[in-house]
């Protein structure tokens, strides 16, 4: 991803730095993977405002993302890299051999037409999901499960990655992006690689931002 900067023609754009979206290959989301984002407007179950100033906002659709990666031993092809307005990371649209399409968090280095696989014995390759037992120490991982089958809950935002420090007694010592070390069962799944769009933290929308 590149960062676009502006000539300082006004104070509003003097320090602005926005993404150029050059890595995106598709501008429209997959309709079959969209659900409406419902907004409460700050109202509780009785219809009374309990949190003020929650109105308005642009209409959004939630992209249904596959955090479980439960299609084992079935290869998938990356069809597109897309933007998601609800998160800092980019999405990869993948299509499995049986024709089903799903969204996954796009790791750094994943490109269109790449093949990915979810397997307990998968190759250590960017985009592949496998068990912690199969991943060597020191390899960057993301989308880490904390409980088998619950779906990824750690290292999902732009630029994040975890590292396995050691393995013992059926558990792996996983160093989180915060620096915390967690004990995670070896049968939990994780995806190889670092989450893409690592330049997200350098974005500034200008003086007001």
């Amino acid at each position: 991803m590149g960062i676009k900067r502006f000539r300082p023609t006004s104070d509003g754009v003097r320090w602005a730095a926005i993404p150029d979206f050059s890595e995106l290959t598709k501008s429209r989301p997959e309709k079959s993977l969209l659900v409406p984002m419902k907004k409460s407007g700050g109202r509780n179950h009785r219809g009374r405002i309990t949190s003020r100033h929650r109105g308005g906002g642009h209409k959004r659709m939630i992209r249904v993302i596959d955090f479980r990666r439960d299609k084992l031993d079935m290869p998938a092809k990356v069809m597109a890299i897309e933007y998601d307005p609800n998160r800092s990371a980019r999405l990869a649209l993948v299509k499995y051999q049986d024709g089903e399409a799903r969204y996954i968090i796009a790791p750094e280095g994943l490109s269109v037409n790449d093949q990915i696989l979810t397997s307990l014995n998968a190759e250590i390759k960017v985009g592949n999901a496998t068990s912690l037992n199969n991943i060597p120490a020191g390899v960057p991982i993301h989308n880490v499960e904390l409980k088998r089958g619950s779906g990824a809950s750690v290292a999902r935002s732009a630029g994040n990655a975890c590292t396995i420090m050691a393995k013992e007694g059926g558990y792996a010592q996983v160093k989180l992006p915060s620096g915390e070390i967690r004990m995670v069962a070896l049968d939990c799944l994780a995806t190889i690689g670092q989450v893409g769009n690592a330049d997200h933290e350098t974005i500034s929308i200008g003086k007001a931002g």
Side-chain angles (χ1 to χ4, degrees), residues 117-145 162-168 171-174 184-193:
L117 178 68
T118 302
S119 174
L120 299 181
N121 301 304
E123 177 188 358
I124 305 303
K125 172 187 168 186
V126 171
N128 284 356
T130 185
S131 64
L132 295 179
N133 193 39
N134 188 43
I135 301 174
V139 174
I141 55 177
H142 65 282
N143 279 3
V144 182
E145 288 183 332
C162 299
T163 308
I164 297 176
M165 307 298 290
K167 302 177 187 178
E168 58 178 333
Y171 287 86
Q173 296 180 13
V174 180
V184 183
L186 289 175
D187 61 349
C188 290
L189 296 183
T191 306
I192 307 298

Side-chain angles (χ1 to χ4, degrees), residues 39-59:
K39 297 183 179 180
S40 66
R43 289 165 173 79
N44 64 8
H45 69 286
R46 295 188 176 189
R48 297 184 177 181
I49 292 178
T50 55
S51 298
R52 296 189 298 166
H53 316 298
R54 290 290 182 93
H58 197 288
K59 281 189 177 181

Side-chain angles (χ1 to χ4, degrees), residues 186-206:
L186 289 175
D187 61 349
C188 290
L189 296 183
T191 306
I192 307 298
Q194 176 187 5
V195 181
N197 196 24
D199 291 332
H200 177 77
E201 63 179 8
T202 65
I203 293 173
S204 170
I205 59 174

Side-chain angles (χ1 to χ4, degrees), residues 2 26 34 43 84 90 95 97 105-106 109-110 142 164 202:
K26 189 166 176 279
L34 296 180
R43 289 165 173 79
D84 187 352
R90 302 291 184 239
K95 182 169 285 189
Q97 284 185 341
I105 299 293
L110 192 70
H142 65 282
I164 297 176
T202 65

